[in-house]
Amino acid sequence: MPDLPLTAWIALAAVLGLLVGSFLNVVILRLPERMAAEWRREARAVLELEVPDEPLPPGIVRESSHCPHCKHPLSAADNIPLFGWLLLGGRCRYCKARISIQYPLVELLSAVLSAVVVWKLGPTWPALTGLVLTWTLIALSGIDFRTQLLPDQLTLPLLWLGLLLALKPLFVEPTTAILGAAIGYLSLWSVYWLFKLLTGKEGMGHGDFKLLAALGAWMGPLAILPIVLLSSLIGAIVGGSLIALSRHERGVPMPFGPFIAMAGWVWFIAGDALLHTYLQFTGLR
């Protein structure tokens, strides 16, 4: 790699994060719609019903960006990550409808987290794979937050990539990665079935099992308990705050995937430091 100061690499990571964040918005918005349309087609085919000859929703790569309200194609200037939204004042240039704040928030989040990954790991191959992990977690969180779905199209490749990286090994040894994936999946799977047997209700989706399994493959079994505890803490704080602010009703299901993703990313970046602080605080070290 070119011999650049770390600050330059961090800045490049932030710019790359902005660009990727724009693409992540497309994934968050279009992938669930595409999946739902394909499911409906498959269901009608299985039931031997007539499949209507109607176009599928826009794909992720080929179709150009457009205003969700007036459907007008966006210009290159409108598509500049973060700054395009700011220059337009958060409104469509053509119909003046409000543009969701999700767009700049996802782009900004992607830029900041990408910069943190390179700051922590440096211009290395672990940093590159860490960026892939970060971007995938952002996309999964956005989709789950909007639809309460964690698509296999994202969780399973993330799981397999974690297992394949263990062959290097880049973060953990192969045996550790396999145990992490298995324990990550089975831990939430067990909680799911215990809750269902006791209450007759489903407390979480199967996508949560797969996401935690993927994080276990990347970080090993010792990361599972801290990630579960951190995600529960983050979920309690966010959920309680939303209920207190009347932004979420009691008893209405809240997606757990974003909290698992947040906790997993925090442990990936700062797990060693957090564990060291905890051991010092408790007097175990």
Side-chain angles (χ1 to χ4, degrees):
M1 292 186 179
D3 187 16
L4 298 175
L6 181 59
T7 52
W9 284 111
I10 294 173
L12 287 172
V15 173
L16 179 61
L18 275 179
L19 297 174
V20 173
S22 180
F23 174 72
L24 294 180
N25 271 315
V26 176
V27 174
I28 291 169
L29 293 170
R30 294 187 183 181
L31 181 58
E33 293 183 359
R34 189 84 172 188
M35 289 168 53
E38 290 174 350
W39 289 340
R40 287 193 294 269
R41 284 193 171 191
E42 292 172 4
R44 294 185 69 88
V46 169
L47 295 172
E48 298 183 351
L49 299 174
E50 181 182 356
V51 178
D53 186 17
E54 58 184 23
L56 289 170
I60 295 175
V61 177
R62 293 185 179 180
E63 287 82 355
S64 60
S65 299
H66 57 269
C67 172
H69 302 283
C70 67
K71 309 301 180 184
H72 195 289
L74 301 183
S75 67
D78 298 336
N79 271 322
I80 299 175
L82 182 60
F83 299 103
W85 188 89
L86 293 174
L87 292 173
L88 291 172
R91 292 183 179 275
C92 173
R93 181 188 303 275
Y94 310 99
C95 68
K96 305 304 179 184
R98 287 191 177 276
I99 303 173
S100 173
I101 198 172
Q102 171 193 309
Y103 293 94
L105 286 182
V106 168
E107 291 161 357
L108 180 60
L109 180 65
S110 178
V112 172
L113 298 190
S114 299
V116 171
V117 169
V118 173
W119 166 75
K120 177 67 177 180
L121 300 177
T124 60
W125 287 112
L128 182 60
T129 56
L131 290 176
V132 174
L133 173 66
T134 300
W135 298 332
T136 307
L137 292 177
I138 291 173
L140 284 166
S141 298
I143 291 173
D144 198 23
F145 182 78
R146 290 175 58 88
T147 66
Q148 296 192 17
L149 292 173
L150 288 171
D152 287 351
Q153 289 89 331
L154 296 178
T155 54
L156 295 185
L158 191 65
L159 168 61
W160 286 111
L161 180 58
L163 293 173
L164 289 173
L165 291 175
L167 297 176
K168 177 65 179 171
L170 209 56
F171 298 109
V172 294
E173 298 289 335
T175 302
T176 306
I178 294 170
L179 284 174
I183 293 173
Y185 186 92
L186 292 174
S187 58
L188 291 187
W189 178 87
S190 302
V191 172
Y192 167 88
W193 279 108
L194 179 61
F195 183 83
K196 188 170 184 178
L197 289 172
L198 292 175
T199 66
K201 302 177 181 179
E202 296 186 357
M204 64 181 68
H206 291 213
D208 296 325
F209 316 161
K210 299 167 190 175
L211 176 56
L212 190 58
L215 294 174
W218 280 72
M219 291 172 262
L222 295 181
I224 298 301
L225 181 58
I227 289 173
V228 171
L229 294 176
L230 274 174
S231 60
S232 300
L233 176 61
I234 296 170
I237 293 173
V238 173
S241 301
L242 291 176
I243 291 173
L245 295 172
S246 300
R247 301 294 298 273
H248 192 85
E249 297 182 11
R250 294 180 182 272
V252 176
M254 181 176 292
F256 192 51
F259 307 133
I260 297 176
M262 291 179 202
W265 187 86
V266 169
W267 196 257
F268 177 75
I269 293 296
D272 292 341
L274 291 174
L275 181 60
H276 179 74
T277 301
Y278 171 77
L279 293 176
Q280 281 192 327
F281 180 77
T282 57
L284 297 176
R285 176 179 291 182

